[in-house]
């Protein structure tokens, strides 16, 4: 019996567990650890709450979780409750699938001012992540700035722009809805260092901005390259740029009656954040493209703003004793192999890139590598060894049947127009898990 430990219960973790079952069938046991008492990682706390169809992939992970050969072990913090060295001593292979939960820093003066957030924190706040439930952003200013030209920037802009009625069917947490209800925003500015042809926004997400009840997207026609140059783009990029061209051509009467503008400010790079205790403005430098790179022109201007959300990427949390690639913001590895029975998958392996589905082939390739490395397995104690350690340390481990109690309780306390109301405090999750 091979004994495999996977650290992280998001998409990369569950696809890796699925691959292990396909590789060895009944001859493997997989323990999936998570620091939270609830599974699914970014499916729960990263995917936008109004994108419920994307969250349905968790049903596939549940099928894996319910296998007799797979256990979910939540509320176990690797590096604190148990070390990586202890796990590699217990299991034939340990796979780090911890994702990239920390924001990349802008590296700007004023970044530590109040009401300046990274997207991991801000998205975690409206998605009910326990680490960010008390964020309490102030939306009393008329202007917010979002830095970044990817889908996360679009998610943040859309959430800030929607009315309460537009959240029907979503699982946005109530504390976020109540703050959004107080919003005085009239302008959301999305800063991009480069131009429309360099965006990382997909057509579906970009198209949603044109269907909001109280907000209208604004694109300056002068920022768009000649239409003939769109032919060099791939089909998805072309569709996205077509959305931008449509927004640039919106007549004034279509904008009338919508009090909130979502402005795309291309060729614009933030240089400093102004303010005393809290943000009051963002200093921006105009850029131009040179060989595809954004180069500053020296021309600067200031956007008065009361909120900034930086959506510029993420990095993996270092773990003591695990080699780390500081430049890449991920674990140092060769195609997923770290060494000494230790491996990594997903964003922890390659950095924050790709879609949810990208993690599936990643998991399968790492399991194939592990199969070659461990052969018939090393006869390690695996699950029994961890259970003995958990009992010795009096760990409050949450298993999958406990999670199902949490899920049932969240469904039962949901608003009338929501599929669930998430618990945002770990102790509340554990209380629901152990109830009965």
């Amino acid at each position: 019996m091979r004994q495999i430990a996977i650290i992280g219960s998001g998409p990369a973790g569950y696809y890796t567990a699925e691959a292990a079952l396909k590789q060895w069938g009944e001859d493997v046991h997989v323990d999936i650890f998570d620091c939270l008492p609830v599974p699914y990682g970014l499916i729960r706390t990263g995917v936008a709450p109004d994108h419920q169809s994307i969250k349905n992939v968790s049903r596939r992970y549940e099928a894996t979780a319910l296998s007799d050969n797979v256990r979910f072990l939540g509320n176990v913090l690797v590096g604190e409750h148990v070390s990586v060295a202890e796990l590699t001593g217990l299991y034939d292979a340990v796979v780090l699938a911890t994702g990239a939960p920390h924001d990349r820093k802008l590296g700007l003066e004023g970044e530590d001012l109040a009401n300046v957030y990274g997207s991991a924190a801000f998205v975690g706040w409206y998605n009910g992540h326990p680490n960010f439930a008390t964020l309490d952003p102030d939306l009393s200013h008329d202007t917010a700035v979002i830095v970044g030209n990817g889908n996360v920037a679009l998610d943040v802009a859309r959430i800030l722009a929607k009315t309460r009625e537009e959240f029907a069917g979503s699982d946005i947490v109530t504390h976020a809805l109540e703050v959004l209800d107080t919003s005085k925003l009239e302008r959301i500015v999305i800063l991009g260092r480069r131009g429309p042809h360099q965006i990382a926004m997909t057509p579906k997400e970009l198209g949603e901005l044109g269907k909001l009840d109280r907000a209208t997207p604004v694109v300056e026609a002068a920022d768009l390259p000649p239409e003939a140059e769109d032919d060099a783009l791939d089909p998805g990029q072309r569709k996205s740029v077509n959305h931008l061209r449509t927004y640039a051509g919106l007549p004034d009467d279509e904008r009338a009656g919508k009090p909130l503008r979502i402005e795309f400010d291309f060729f614009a790079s933030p240089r400093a954040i102004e303010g005393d205790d809290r943000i009051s403005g963002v200093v921006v430098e105009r850029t131009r493209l040179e060989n595809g790179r954004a180069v500053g022109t020296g021309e600067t201007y200031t956007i008065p703003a009361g909120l900034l959300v930086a959506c510029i990427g993420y990095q993996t949390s270092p773990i003591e004793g695990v080699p780390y690639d500081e430049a890449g913001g991920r674990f140092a590895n060769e195609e997923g192999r770290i060494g000494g029975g230790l491996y990594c998958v997903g964003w922890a392996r390659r950095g924050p890139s790709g879609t949810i589905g990208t993690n599936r082939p990643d998991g399968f390739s790492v399991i194939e590598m592990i199969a070659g490395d461990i052969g018939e397995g090393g006869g390690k104690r695996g699950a029994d060894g961890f259970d003995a350690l958990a009992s010795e340390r009096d760990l409050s481990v949450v298993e999958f049947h406990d999670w199902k109690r949490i899920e049932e309780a969240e469904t039962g306390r949901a608003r009338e127009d929501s599929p669930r109301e998430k618990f945002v405090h770990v102790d509340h999750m554990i209380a629901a898990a152990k109830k009965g």
Side-chain angles (χ1 to χ4, degrees):
M1 179 70 76
R2 287 86 170 169
Q3 299 284 342
I4 308 295
I6 299 172
I7 316 306
S9 68
Y14 270 110
Y15 283 129
T16 304
E18 178 187 330
L21 293 178
K22 289 187 181 296
Q23 178 73 37
W24 292 297
E26 295 298 314
D27 296 327
V28 68
H29 176 86
V30 181
D31 278 345
I32 302 177
F33 295 86
D34 202 290
C35 60
L36 291 179
V38 293
Y40 307 143
L42 285 183
I43 298 300
R44 178 179 170 94
T45 59
V47 172
D50 55 348
H51 284 176
Q52 288 296 302
S53 61
I54 298 175
K55 293 175 183 275
N56 289 337
V57 71
S58 63
R59 296 173 185 169
R60 177 175 186 150
Y61 307 150
E62 180 168 329
T64 299
L66 293 173
S67 165
D68 291 340
N69 296 62
V70 176
R71 287 197 306 176
F72 170 71
L73 300 169
N75 201 39
V76 178
L77 181 57
V78 174
E80 183 174 319
H81 296 147
V82 58
S83 69
V84 168
E86 287 173 318
L87 291 177
T88 54
L90 291 172
Y91 294 85
D92 294 305
V94 176
V95 183
L96 300 174
T98 53
H102 293 298
D103 286 299
R104 280 182 54 202
K105 293 289 188 180
L106 286 166
L108 299 179
E109 180 184 348
E111 189 166 12
D112 295 329
L113 290 172
N115 238 32
V116 176
Y117 303 106
S119 55
F122 197 78
V123 170
W125 166 72
Y126 62 64
N127 265 326
H129 193 296
N131 290 355
F132 307 112
T134 60
L135 212 62
D136 196 25
D138 179 6
L139 304 184
S140 62
H141 199 279
D142 62 6
T143 301
V145 171
I146 299 171
V147 182
N149 267 190
N151 279 347
V152 176
L154 291 179
D155 286 345
V156 171
R158 190 180 66 254
I159 296 300
L160 285 171
K162 278 193 167 185
T163 63
R164 178 178 276 260
E165 291 72 26
E166 288 175 285
F167 285 111
S170 80
D171 64 351
I172 189 169
V173 291
T174 296
H175 71 237
L177 265 184
E178 290 173 349
V179 173
L180 290 168
D181 280 344
T182 70
S183 175
K184 305 297 183 185
L185 291 176
E186 299 175 4
R187 184 185 183 210
I188 299 171
V189 182
I190 302 177
L191 295 181
R193 292 183 302 114
R194 298 188 292 171
H197 275 190
Q198 289 76 41
I199 61 173
M201 299 168 172
T202 49
K204 177 182 180 296
E205 283 68 22
L206 198 49
E208 287 179 279
L209 290 193
K211 303 172 184 176
L212 297 173
D213 288 348
R214 72 184 185 104
T216 182
V218 179
V219 175
E220 294 294 332
D223 286 337
L224 292 161
E227 195 164 350
E229 295 182 14
D230 292 356
D231 294 341
L233 302 175
D234 67 43
Q237 288 177 303
R238 200 176 306 128
K239 288 180 181 178
S240 294
V241 173
N242 281 341
H243 281 306
L244 296 177
R245 294 190 184 280
T246 299
Y247 298 154
L250 287 176
D252 290 340
D253 60 346
E254 285 196 30
R255 303 190 195 282
K258 293 193 174 183
L260 179 57
R261 293 163 57 94
I262 302 175
E263 303 175 13
F264 287 83
D265 194 358
F266 293 111
F267 305 106
S269 183
R271 289 293 181 249
I273 302 168
E274 296 182 332
D276 294 326
D277 296 326
R278 65 175 48 240
I279 178 177
S280 62
V282 183
V283 178
V284 180
E285 182 180 15
R286 275 278 165 242
T287 65
R288 65 175 182 272
L289 287 182
E290 289 186 4
N291 299 319
R293 296 183 58 197
V295 177
T297 64
E299 176 191 349
T300 62
Y301 55 98
T302 300
I303 303 173
L307 170 70
L308 183 144
V309 183
C311 307
I312 60 169
Y314 307 102
Q315 53 190 14
T316 297
S317 305
I319 299 176
E320 185 177 354
V322 180
Y324 191 76
D325 175 4
E326 293 285 351
R330 60 187 180 180
F331 296 117
N333 70 94
E334 293 184 8
E335 301 300 322
R337 183 188 284 112
I338 297 173
L342 192 59
Y343 304 81
C344 56
V345 293
W347 285 7
R349 179 183 79 85
R350 65 181 190 274
S353 62
T355 64
I356 291 169
T358 308
N359 294 294
R360 186 175 187 274
D362 206 23
F364 275 73
S365 68
V366 166
I367 285 297
E368 187 175 344
M369 179 186 295
I370 291 171
D373 287 350
I374 69 174
E376 296 298 316
K380 294 189 175 181
R381 295 182 66 195
D384 290 342
F386 175 76
D387 289 347
L389 184 149
S391 176
E392 175 188 325
R393 297 180 184 176
D394 197 26
L395 301 183
S396 183
V397 179
V398 174
E399 297 194 33
F400 201 79
H401 58 274
D402 299 317
W403 148 245
K404 295 301 289 183
R405 291 195 191 101
I406 298 173
E407 184 179 45
E408 182 180 0
E410 290 184 337
T411 302
R413 66 199 291 265
R415 302 183 306 275
E416 184 177 346
D417 60 352
S418 176
R420 66 189 65 81
E421 180 65 40
K422 298 174 191 169
F423 293 109
V424 299
H425 300 290
V426 168
D427 55 348
H428 295 169
M429 295 175 184
I430 294 174
K434 302 304 180 184
K435 193 171 183 180

